[in-house]
Amino acid sequence: MSTTSHTYTERDVGDFFDQTLQTYLSFWDGDGVLHTGYFADDADDDYLAAAERTSEVLAAEAKIDGSSRVLDVGCGCGNFMIHLAERFGCRGEGLDLSRERIKFAQEKLAGEKRLDIEFRHGSATQMPYEPGSFSHVVSQDALCLVPDKPRSHTEIHRVLRPGGVFAFSDFLQPKKEIGERARKHVYDRVKWNGGYSLVGYQSALEEAGFEIILARNLESHIRQTYRVLGKTARERAEATPDAAAREWMLAFSVSCEEIQLAIDDGEFGWGLFVTRKRGSAAP
């Protein structure tokens, strides 16, 4: 049974990611990579390569190319948007609730003058763009954190051109009711109120005016992400002289074990979706 005791706001989410930026940079990746990996096989333990593969898979399924104008909602430290611009020569913007992560992304972009992209602080529920501004909207593991999900879907629909593509990966809540362990180690840990199942997500997107092109269950990849990160945390803790850092890494490794159990119990999942705004033209 669910043990929800909080209703997290956008302010809570933004503050959390502001406050934890440096911790995640020091442990996960100094370049700001912070999303689930798409692993080659069960033996693959290269997290950064798997995270890059997620970006490649999502871009390929969305059919992004040099003519695209892309919005990355929940862009974090800007890696995906920069990757898309470098790889395809597309234009675009990144939007995120975390001021600190947007600042980090802007500092990275300062050395990439040739890229036609920008990063802004803002909400997915009230985006600072004109209707039909983008051919593609993308996101990686961020939209689940929006408290008012239907409102974010409406906004994404608004800023897309007719026939535009909305392609993203996101965390799932396969079961309606979740237990205390999952609430503590999965949901409360990142200020997440709750989400959709794979089927529920499709229904919500269709209600918002999107045609479902692809909905893929990626449960095995999220389980492997936390298996690899938990192992990495334990190894780094053994080699870390700083007591506080070591304690955080060991606590994180315990959470990774609990997260895997929550996945096995159907309380946490991951999916990839490609949809199209109903309209007369493809991007």
Side-chain angles (χ1 to χ4, degrees):
M1 184 175 179
S2 174
T3 59
T4 304
S5 56
H6 304 283
T7 299
Y8 297 111
T9 65
E10 289 191 358
R11 175 70 177 272
D12 293 330
V13 173
D15 287 349
F16 171 77
F17 283 97
D18 281 346
Q19 294 161 8
T20 58
L21 174 60
Q22 294 305 318
T23 299
Y24 280 99
L25 289 175
S26 65
F27 171 64
W28 279 40
D29 173 53
D31 200 38
V33 173
L34 183 62
H35 59 79
T36 308
Y38 197 104
F39 289 85
D41 53 45
D42 292 344
D44 185 5
D45 63 358
D46 189 336
Y47 165 71
L48 291 179
E52 183 175 349
R53 193 175 296 113
T54 301
S55 297
E56 294 286 351
V57 169
L58 190 54
E61 296 289 2
K63 295 181 170 56
I64 291 170
D65 60 25
S67 68
S68 303
R69 186 161 192 259
V70 184
L71 172 63
D72 183 3
V73 181
C75 66
C77 293
N79 294 285
F80 188 33
M81 192 66 249
I82 290 173
H83 169 81
L84 293 174
E86 289 178 335
R87 176 71 183 273
F88 301 104
C90 60
R91 299 170 297 143
E93 297 214 14
L95 186 74
D96 200 272
L97 276 174
S98 169
R99 293 182 184 276
E100 291 300 316
R101 280 173 163 75
I102 287 295
K103 180 181 177 182
F104 185 92
Q106 290 170 335
E107 290 172 353
K108 288 178 64 176
L109 186 60
E112 299 285 353
K113 298 293 186 183
R114 61 191 174 83
L115 301 180
D116 189 6
I117 57 177
E118 296 182 22
F119 294 105
R120 299 195 204 188
H121 172 259
S123 168
T125 61
Q126 193 172 3
M127 296 196 282
Y129 307 111
E130 294 297 317
S133 295
F134 300 95
S135 64
H136 294 75
V137 174
V138 298
S139 184
Q140 292 192 49
D141 308 346
L143 294 172
C144 62
L145 298 173
V146 179
D148 189 348
K149 294 172 179 60
R151 178 61 186 167
S152 67
H153 299 160
T154 298
E155 276 291 273
I156 290 166
H157 189 274
R158 181 183 68 82
V159 303
L160 269 174
R161 300 170 188 168
V165 170
F166 174 29
F168 63 100
S169 63
D170 207 7
F171 296 142
L172 303 175
Q173 182 182 339
K175 286 182 176 179
K176 185 175 181 180
E177 300 294 337
I178 59 171
E180 182 177 355
R181 178 189 62 232
R183 173 60 57 188
K184 175 182 177 181
H185 292 280
V186 177
Y187 294 80
D188 287 347
R189 189 175 63 86
V190 292
K191 314 305 178 189
W192 179 24
N193 293 319
Y196 300 107
S197 66
L198 189 75
V199 172
Y201 223 139
Q202 294 174 73
S203 296
L205 293 168
E206 288 176 333
E207 186 174 341
F210 294 98
E211 171 192 358
I212 308 299
I213 299 171
L214 170 69
R216 184 180 298 163
N217 188 333
L218 300 176
E219 177 184 298
S220 63
H221 293 279
I222 194 171
R223 195 184 195 290
Q224 190 143 337
T225 293
Y226 284 101
R227 181 185 66 77
V228 169
L229 289 177
K231 178 174 178 287
T232 301
R234 291 189 298 274
E235 290 172 348
R236 291 187 182 178
E238 292 175 359
T240 299
D242 182 84
R246 184 167 59 251
E247 182 178 349
W248 185 90
M249 291 176 189
L250 289 173
F252 181 73
S253 72
V254 170
S255 282
C256 287
E257 294 293 333
E258 297 291 346
I259 290 168
Q260 291 174 71
L261 292 174
I263 294 166
D264 292 343
D265 287 345
E267 297 172 305
F268 185 38
W270 190 44
L272 185 145
F273 302 84
V274 181
T275 73
R276 178 175 290 119
K277 177 177 177 175
R278 296 193 186 103
S280 60

